[in-house]
Amino acid sequence: MPNIFNQLHYVKLIRGILFLIIIINVKIYAQFMSINPPVLSLEINDNQNFQDFPTSVEIAVNTNAEDWVINCMGQPFVSEKPTDIIPIENILVKHEYITTSNDKKEYRPLALTEFIASGKQTNNEYKIVNSLLFRLNIPNYINFGNYICELRFHYSDNLGRTEEVILQLNTNYRKYLKIAPNFHLLKFEIFGSPGIYDYKKDAKIILHSNDEFWTLKFELLPIVSEQGEIFDSKNFLLLLQPATNRKIFQQNIPDDYWHFNQPLTIPLQMNKMGKNFSVEFNCNFRIQTNWEQRTGDYHGALKIYVVEQPGIQISIPIEIIIHKSNTMQISANDLYFHVKGEGAIWDGDKDIRLIVGSNCESWIVNCRATVLESQKGYIIPNERIYIKNDQENYNGDEGAGIGFHSLIQPVDLVKGTLTEPREICKMLFRLKSKDLDRPGRYTGKIILTHLTVP
Amino acid sequence: MKNFFILFIILLSGNNLYSETNFFNISVSPPIIKMKLFPNTLKNIKLVISNNNNKPVELIPMVMDLELDLNGNPIAHPQEKNNKWSCADWLIFNSNPISIPPLENLDFNLQVKVPGFSQCGQYSIIMFQTTDLNKINKEIEVVGRLGTILMFEISGRKYIDAIIKKFDILHFKEEIEFTILVRNTSNIDIQCNGSIVIIDNNKRIIDRVKINGGTGTILPESEREYKAIWKGKTLKSGSYVAKLKLYIPGSSKVHQKEIQLTI
């Protein structure tokens, strides 16, 4: 008996639990109003007067009541600090039941009690009864931070039933800075002698912000060639100049070109422009090359970012093409042999200095001479013109003394590798006259040729 | 009196005194262009000539043929007719003298008109020769020439090969100098590199000597001499085999030659 009693007791208990579940289900099923999404968030990233919440809010109803109505009651936005408030009239709304005289749906401030929808039974299914769009009118003075607003949607029907669902509006008013350059690639193509080369195109950076003070940082990422050669960062230079006469810098910054062997940090005090702040400055980029810099295509980037929010950054690609170059200077463009009397060896009237620079791996300068020819057509062959290179240790005698080469064929003067322009050698010339040479004025050429060794 | 005459070479130039002044200071960039071109095309090339001096300069542009001597050094020759490796006839440029004001650059535009059929490798030099602005007829005029070497590969059938014409040794007191003469039998320039392996009587490799030749470039149908020096502790009395291995980028063939030597 006790067992039977116990079994009956359990059956009753299980029935009771089932009943409760049914009751709860009925209650859940009896939810009349649905709001989707229940939370709406807005990131304010600039100081536009109006900011739209990203999505609309759908209000749906499932009821068997013959007559129901939904109203919405708003509150102002509040932040963690009680004094920081965005008033309710700054919340603008647009929905089905707001129309103007033109029958256009427009935003208007949320009423203290905003009519949302009314209607009849929905035949046991959810029916969207209104769609709301929210917009925030940013006050002139607002502190940075998170703001929350709760909108209470109140359902009531003729059966005396009520329901309240809360829509939470969040807004995060943050400091922002937009970095807007008018250049997207810094390309330098260097022909000719190494030296200073300016970026010739207009390069400006415009900053927009909702805050006055920022610290901007320019950092040069490595500039490397395809062969792995590194372009020395101290040879990449920047001079910043305000585009207007307004003061933009909090502190003194270098008034000369900045060498990027370390990043350039600029504390900025921006100019007020209405609600916002902005500043514009010209960027004068410059690179410096030298003869020891290997030629090739170099690639790198200039990173510009904000110290306070390192996530705000841009990266400008840099391309530097350094072409090979040879340069040559000589100290005289003529030579004179004053030849008197019988056949002998005569020195030229001057020595000639040769200055050569190259950024090629291998180069050579050679010297050749043409025959000397008189106006009457007499010839002194080039084998009787001689050259001595003071930098060469040559002890041969080809007919005009020790160390002198005959120019019967071209003479290689000097071979070298990457070098800045410097005096490579001093050339001494001699002429060997013969007794049978006819008097007269002879002319010809001594040719110094500088070429890269391929 | 027959033996006593005066050969008088007079200087008429205004610059008849020795001067430290540089009479020209010019740069040419780039001084070498290696490029692949396609038949029946036109290619524009920009050269930049800089006058780095504080007075104007006048230059005469001219085209010359390129030759490399046995050491690989470039030699500029006057343009030869029927030189099948010269692209001189393809070059279109203004050959009038060019004047460059002080401290200025001049863009020199060159067009290469590639014909339909040609050898694979084509070479020339665009040379810029200084000239006297005052047009005074000097006795011996010292002129400077800077050039841009043009080395074109024309797309088409390319074959790469070479032969070792000579592999000799010269025995000095403390070193052995190897001389290697290579002939390029390709239809394009090649760049040789390689080494000589020294093997003793026990067939052990006792040393490896690198071939010196800079870039190692040899133009088609040309020859180049390379040197290699064996010296140091491994150089002792005995009999050896020197095995030369020569590599040419672009060719899978390894050119080999060996020589017996007794020290």
Side-chain angles (χ1 to χ4, degrees):
Chain A
M1 283 300 288
N3 283 340
I4 293 166
F5 175 79
N6 280 344
Q7 281 174 1
L8 285 173
H9 180 74
Y10 282 126
V11 169
K12 282 180 181 175
L13 188 64
I14 289 164
R15 279 180 182 168
I17 291 166
L18 286 172
F19 181 73
L20 278 172
I21 289 170
I22 289 163
I23 293 292
I24 289 166
N25 278 341
V26 166
K27 180 68 181 168
I28 290 168
Y29 187 73
Q31 185 179 342
F32 308 115
M33 180 170 54
S34 156
I35 294 179
N36 186 37
V39 178
L40 211 52
S41 296
L42 172 67
E43 288 277 331
I44 303 176
N45 287 322
D46 59 43
N47 246 9
Q48 298 289 321
N49 282 337
F50 296 99
Q51 301 274 339
D52 288 347
F53 282 82
T55 56
S56 60
V57 177
E58 310 288 349
I59 315 292
V61 169
N62 181 1
T63 181
N64 56 0
E66 284 299 322
D67 193 11
W68 55 267
V69 64
I70 299 172
N71 289 308
C72 170
M73 277 143 286
Q75 290 177 345
F77 273 99
V78 289
S79 85
E80 290 165 359
K81 290 184 200 168
T83 49
D84 289 345
I85 291 174
I86 302 174
I88 192 165
E89 55 266 27
N90 285 52
I91 304 169
L92 308 181
V93 66
K94 181 165 85 170
H95 59 79
E96 289 293 317
Y97 299 103
I98 297 174
T99 51
T100 63
S101 54
N102 302 329
D103 277 352
K104 278 188 179 174
K105 291 178 177 56
E106 284 181 354
Y107 284 97
R108 66 153 169 74
L110 189 71
L112 282 173
T113 301
E114 180 81 26
F115 171 76
I116 300 299
S118 62
K120 299 193 178 298
Q121 61 172 306
T122 60
N123 299 324
N124 287 337
E125 60 183 21
Y126 273 101
K127 190 177 169 188
I128 294 172
V129 292
N130 205 344
S131 178
L132 282 69
L133 286 164
F134 290 97
R135 174 178 280 182
L136 196 61
N137 180 6
I138 311 288
N140 284 338
Y141 301 102
I142 178 172
N143 289 323
F144 300 108
N146 288 316
Y147 290 79
I148 297 172
C149 162
E150 284 185 355
L151 298 181
R152 293 171 182 275
F153 287 80
H154 187 81
Y155 166 91
S156 61
D157 61 25
N158 60 329
L159 302 175
R161 297 176 300 188
T162 63
E163 188 178 48
E164 190 173 84
V165 178
I166 292 172
L167 168 67
Q168 186 176 307
L169 298 182
N170 294 333
T171 183
N172 184 4
Y173 184 56
R174 295 200 312 180
K175 281 187 182 185
Y176 75 88
L177 180 74
K178 272 188 187 165
I179 308 171
N182 73 341
F183 53 99
H184 303 288
L185 171 70
L186 290 169
K187 185 176 177 180
F188 297 85
E189 190 165 8
I190 310 301
F191 285 97
S193 300
I196 290 171
Y197 289 88
D198 289 321
Y199 182 72
K200 298 231 168 86
K201 292 181 184 169
D202 179 47
K204 278 193 179 111
I205 292 180
I206 302 169
L207 302 174
H208 293 289
S209 178
N210 56 359
D211 195 21
E212 189 174 10
F213 297 103
W214 291 96
T215 308
L216 202 62
K217 203 161 182 176
F218 295 77
E219 191 177 329
L220 192 69
L221 304 181
I223 303 175
V224 186
S225 78
E226 287 160 0
Q227 288 75 33
E229 292 288 332
I230 294 170
F231 186 86
D232 195 340
S233 56
K234 76 169 187 289
N235 291 330
F236 192 90
L237 292 83
L238 170 61
L239 174 64
L240 284 177
Q241 289 174 319
T244 61
N245 290 327
R246 293 189 186 194
K247 176 191 161 196
I248 62 164
F249 304 113
Q250 267 180 271
Q251 300 169 15
N252 288 335
I253 62 151
D255 56 2
D256 201 356
Y257 279 89
W258 180 265
H259 295 252
F260 272 98
N261 38 356
Q262 54 185 334
L264 172 62
T265 306
I266 307 287
L268 290 172
Q269 185 179 359
M270 316 257 287
N271 304 316
K272 191 152 178 59
M273 304 281 283
K275 275 185 180 181
N276 294 318
F277 299 89
S278 81
V279 75
E280 178 179 335
F281 46 89
N282 297 321
C283 302
N284 303 291
F285 291 102
R286 171 178 278 187
I287 63 164
Q288 212 168 292
T289 60
N290 54 47
W291 290 97
E292 282 78 27
Q293 180 74 56
R294 290 194 185 266
T295 56
D297 289 12
Y298 290 79
H299 294 272
L302 179 68
K303 194 170 106 177
I304 307 169
Y305 64 97
V306 175
V307 174
E308 292 83 354
Q309 289 184 31
I312 303 174
Q313 59 165 281
I314 58 165
S315 188
I316 309 280
I318 297 170
E319 186 180 0
I320 301 172
I321 305 167
I322 302 176
H323 291 278
K324 289 185 167 81
S325 181
N326 283 341
T327 191
M328 181 164 71
Q329 309 170 39
I330 55 172
S331 63
N333 64 350
D334 54 25
L335 188 66
Y336 158 68
F337 294 101
H338 190 179
V339 180
K340 292 179 186 173
E342 59 191 5
I345 294 166
W346 307 92
D347 284 327
D349 69 319
K350 60 178 86 75
D351 51 29
I352 294 177
R353 289 155 196 241
L354 174 68
I355 295 168
V356 167
S358 179
N359 57 5
C360 297
E361 303 286 331
S362 182
W363 51 265
I364 190 166
V365 179
N366 69 29
C367 179
R368 61 181 286 265
T370 63
V371 295
L372 304 182
E373 191 173 359
S374 76
Q375 285 164 325
K376 291 182 179 172
Y378 301 121
I379 297 281
I380 296 177
N382 56 7
E383 68 180 275
R384 286 200 272 134
I385 305 170
Y386 298 86
I387 184 172
K388 182 177 181 176
N389 173 358
D390 74 330
Q391 296 298 309
E392 186 192 26
N393 187 18
Y394 175 58
N395 294 320
D397 185 348
E398 298 178 16
I402 292 172
F404 280 84
H405 295 274
S406 165
L407 285 171
I408 187 170
Q409 59 187 8
V411 170
D412 291 342
L413 285 176
V414 64
K415 277 188 85 167
T417 182
L418 296 92
T419 179
E420 62 181 353
R422 62 183 176 86
E423 189 174 305
I424 298 293
C425 68
K426 192 164 73 179
M427 294 167 283
L428 307 164
F429 291 90
R430 278 184 177 169
L431 178 82
K432 191 183 196 176
S433 66
K434 289 188 172 176
D435 293 349
L436 293 175
D437 284 334
R438 309 296 292 265
R441 182 171 176 271
Y442 288 75
T443 59
K445 278 190 173 73
I446 284 174
I447 300 164
L448 298 161
T449 305
H450 183 192
L451 287 172
T452 294
V453 177
Chain B
M1 285 299 288
K2 188 182 173 186
N3 293 333
F4 289 88
F5 67 94
I6 296 174
L7 174 68
F8 209 76
I9 301 176
I10 313 162
L11 187 70
L12 295 177
S13 157
N15 304 311
N16 54 352
L17 295 174
Y18 180 85
S19 167
E20 289 293 329
T21 312
N22 290 315
F23 281 82
F24 63 82
N25 179 351
I26 55 168
S27 306
V28 171
S29 180
I32 184 163
I33 293 173
K34 291 183 178 179
M35 198 177 271
K36 191 166 183 176
L37 299 174
F38 295 91
N40 289 317
T41 55
L42 192 68
K43 177 78 184 173
N44 291 309
I45 292 174
K46 184 180 93 168
L47 308 178
V48 176
I49 322 294
S50 310
N51 177 11
N52 309 314
N53 218 351
N54 53 8
K55 50 188 170 187
V57 70
E58 191 171 275
L59 301 167
I60 301 168
M62 58 180 85
V63 63
M64 302 186 85
D65 285 350
L66 171 69
E67 185 196 321
L68 299 183
D69 67 13
L70 277 180
N71 299 314
N73 297 325
I75 302 169
H77 285 298
Q79 190 184 343
E80 277 178 26
K81 279 186 180 173
N82 305 321
N83 179 353
K84 64 179 179 181
W85 305 109
S86 168
C87 57
D89 292 337
W90 306 357
L91 307 177
I92 304 164
F93 59 93
N94 186 347
S95 59
N96 292 330
I98 48 177
S99 294
I100 313 176
L103 305 171
E104 283 197 12
N105 294 338
L106 181 132
D107 290 355
F108 184 84
N109 296 310
L110 177 70
Q111 280 191 322
V112 187
K113 195 175 180 183
V114 186
F117 300 97
S118 75
Q119 293 290 335
C120 188
Q122 292 290 318
Y123 312 89
S124 273
I125 306 175
I126 289 287
M127 199 68 92
F128 299 93
Q129 179 176 301
T130 59
T131 182
D132 184 17
L133 270 177
N134 301 321
K135 311 292 179 203
I136 293 169
N137 192 9
K138 295 181 176 67
E139 276 58 40
I140 299 177
E141 189 182 0
V142 181
V143 299
R145 280 180 180 170
L146 279 100
T148 298
I149 292 175
L150 305 172
M151 300 178 78
F152 297 140
E153 179 186 334
I154 311 303
S155 182
R157 187 175 166 263
K158 179 165 79 171
Y159 56 89
I160 293 179
D161 204 357
I163 49 171
I164 300 169
K165 284 191 76 179
K166 194 171 79 177
F167 181 35
D168 282 344
I169 56 163
L170 269 175
H171 191 176
F172 297 101
K173 201 174 179 180
E174 290 178 343
E175 63 185 36
I176 303 277
E177 184 184 272
F178 297 95
T179 304
I180 305 120
L181 187 67
V182 180
R183 182 170 180 79
N184 179 6
T185 55
S186 321
N187 64 352
I188 185 123
D189 57 287
I190 56 169
Q191 293 187 315
C192 289
N193 57 65
S195 60
I196 298 165
V197 177
I198 313 290
I199 302 164
D200 69 6
N201 265 341
N202 300 322
K203 297 190 175 176
R204 284 185 312 161
I205 294 174
I206 59 157
D207 211 338
R208 192 182 296 269
V209 185
K210 203 170 175 239
I211 293 168
N212 301 318
T215 56
T217 304
I218 321 177
L219 295 184
E221 293 181 357
S222 299
E223 290 175 3
R224 176 83 192 265
E225 196 175 77
Y226 297 98
K227 301 274 187 198
I229 308 261
W230 176 30
K231 59 182 179 183
K233 287 179 184 172
T234 57
L235 185 62
K236 294 174 186 168
S237 299
S239 291
Y240 301 93
V241 173
K243 193 181 264 185
L244 165 68
K245 285 187 176 180
L246 205 66
Y247 306 94
I248 308 166
S251 166
S252 54
K253 194 169 156 187
V254 179
H255 299 265
Q256 297 192 52
K257 206 159 194 171
E258 56 183 59
I259 195 168
Q260 298 278 343
L261 62 148
T262 305
I263 300 167

